[in-house]
Amino acid sequence: MAWEAPMFSWEGVSEFVAVAETESFTTAASRLGISTAQVSRQIGALEARLAVKLFYRTTRKVTITDTGQTYYNHCRQVLDGLAEAERAISDLHQTPRGRLNLTAPVTYGESRIAPLVNDFVVRYPELEVNLTLTNQMLDLVAESYDLAIRLGELEDSTMMAKRLASRTHYVCASPDYLAVRGAPHTLSELEQHNCLQGTVGYWRFQERGKTRHIRVTGNIRCNSGWALVDAAEKGVGLIQLPDYYVEAELQAGRLVSVLDTYRAPDDGIWAIYPQNRHLSPKVRLLLDHLGQGLA
């Protein structure tokens, strides 16, 4: 026998919620734009249908019963969900406009995020975008940001997060360097090489299914990935950097990838945003746009 969904009647629910929130039949009627008598009839019919008492009524006061409170909690969620659904449908027909504040790391923002944001503005010219490129972890709520791009492991669990893409870290060097020093084939051989460092004094690998952090040393330490790429191209040493720094050099043969069998798993490119039940159309559309562009 085919399953049939249980019948549910909305009749009386809006009136019940209004009375529960105002503690008055008269005030509830005024809120709904109907007569007090109609509110009373709907509540009476609802109580009869449910076979429970929802309110205690006196000439001076209306008090919700324990059963009524339980019913109200569920009805409020249902009405909120219905309002959310209606807003979502309405948003589908709205053109994004107004101010949009987002932040991203400097290098990744310049190379990947900014071009996609610019394309988004071309599509929706009524937007006003404020894109802040910084490697600082800004407080999105305190500084009124709609969206932030984060790389790697996430630390802030109070935010909502959507994974947009992945990044791969390469260890590489120039053909000239490898011709003179040889290519490392094991992690222990890194001790014999000039490893050019960024802001972190270790490199990340995977060996036998486990993550390993290897301390490395070299004669250059710099907080600019592009400066390290330049040094590696000139034969100074090995570097470990994400794909968006080195992919063009690898494809052109100016750099050569080594230790590929020990490469750590790809980590995430994330969009994070404050916990809101309802994302505005502009933020939701930008999330979709970034996800498609970075995929």
Side-chain angles (χ1 to χ4, degrees):
M1 185 174 72
W3 179 83
E4 293 184 3
M7 296 297 293
F8 173 78
S9 174
W10 284 100
E11 195 169 355
V13 172
S14 296
E15 291 83 356
F16 162 72
V17 169
V19 172
E21 292 178 348
T22 63
E23 298 182 336
S24 166
F25 280 67
T26 302
T27 307
S30 177
R31 176 199 282 190
L32 298 173
I34 58 180
S35 69
T36 303
Q38 185 174 350
V39 171
S40 182
R41 284 196 300 272
Q42 292 285 13
I43 297 297
L46 182 62
E47 289 179 321
R49 189 171 79 245
L50 297 175
V52 296
K53 192 172 188 64
L54 298 173
F55 297 106
Y56 297 117
R57 305 168 179 82
T58 68
T59 55
R60 295 182 179 180
K61 191 176 181 180
V62 175
T63 305
I64 194 167
T65 65
D66 290 342
T67 301
Q69 184 63 51
T70 299
Y71 189 59
Y72 167 78
N73 293 339
H74 288 281
C75 288
R76 182 70 269 175
Q77 292 180 17
V78 171
L79 292 179
D80 287 344
L82 179 61
E84 189 78 11
E86 291 182 353
R87 283 197 297 269
I89 293 298
S90 176
D91 288 345
L92 293 176
H93 303 286
Q94 293 182 14
T95 300
R97 57 174 57 87
R99 190 173 182 84
L100 184 60
N101 297 319
L102 66 151
T103 178
V106 176
T107 300
Y108 192 78
E110 288 176 337
S111 62
R112 301 293 172 87
I113 299 300
L116 290 172
V117 171
N118 294 339
D119 291 341
F120 193 67
V121 173
V122 170
R123 182 182 300 178
Y124 302 111
E126 295 183 48
L127 281 172
E128 178 186 350
V129 173
N130 174 37
L131 172 59
T132 301
L133 300 182
T134 176
N135 294 329
Q136 296 179 351
M137 296 293 182
L138 302 180
D139 187 326
L140 303 192
V141 176
E143 302 186 47
S144 300
Y145 280 94
D146 299 296
L147 193 69
I149 304 301
R150 295 282 189 263
L151 310 179
E153 296 182 3
L154 296 178
E155 298 178 359
D156 192 344
S157 61
T158 66
M159 296 286 159
M160 302 296 290
K162 178 179 180 179
R163 187 167 181 147
L164 300 176
S166 301
R167 64 174 181 172
T168 303
H169 282 76
Y170 291 91
V171 176
C172 46
S174 71
D176 290 343
Y177 175 89
L178 297 176
V180 174
R181 301 289 295 271
H185 297 288
T186 64
L187 298 183
S188 61
E189 292 178 49
L190 286 174
E191 295 180 356
Q192 306 165 19
H193 285 269
N194 193 31
C195 299
L196 313 182
Q197 301 172 65
T199 55
V200 179
Y202 62 84
W203 288 357
R204 186 166 63 95
F205 297 95
Q206 181 170 272
E207 185 176 30
R208 297 175 183 173
K210 296 183 178 180
T211 298
R212 287 196 59 188
H213 290 165
I214 305 294
R215 289 284 173 183
V216 294
T217 58
N219 65 351
I220 290 181
R221 179 186 289 270
C222 182
N223 65 351
S224 167
W226 297 122
L228 295 178
V229 170
D230 181 72
E233 284 190 88
K234 293 174 178 175
V236 178
L238 293 168
I239 56 174
Q240 185 183 61
L241 285 172
D243 45 20
Y244 47 88
Y245 281 103
V246 299
E247 58 188 3
E249 283 68 21
L250 291 172
Q251 291 174 5
R254 293 188 294 270
L255 292 177
V256 177
S257 178
V258 298
L259 296 173
D260 292 345
T261 56
Y262 297 98
R263 185 179 299 145
D266 293 355
D267 52 20
I269 309 293
W270 304 88
I272 68 169
Y273 47 95
Q275 294 193 39
N276 294 325
R277 289 189 308 135
H278 177 68
L279 280 176
S280 64
K282 57 189 176 186
V283 175
R284 190 177 62 250
L285 286 172
L286 179 59
L287 280 172
D288 293 340
H289 177 74
L290 292 175
Q292 293 170 7
L294 295 173

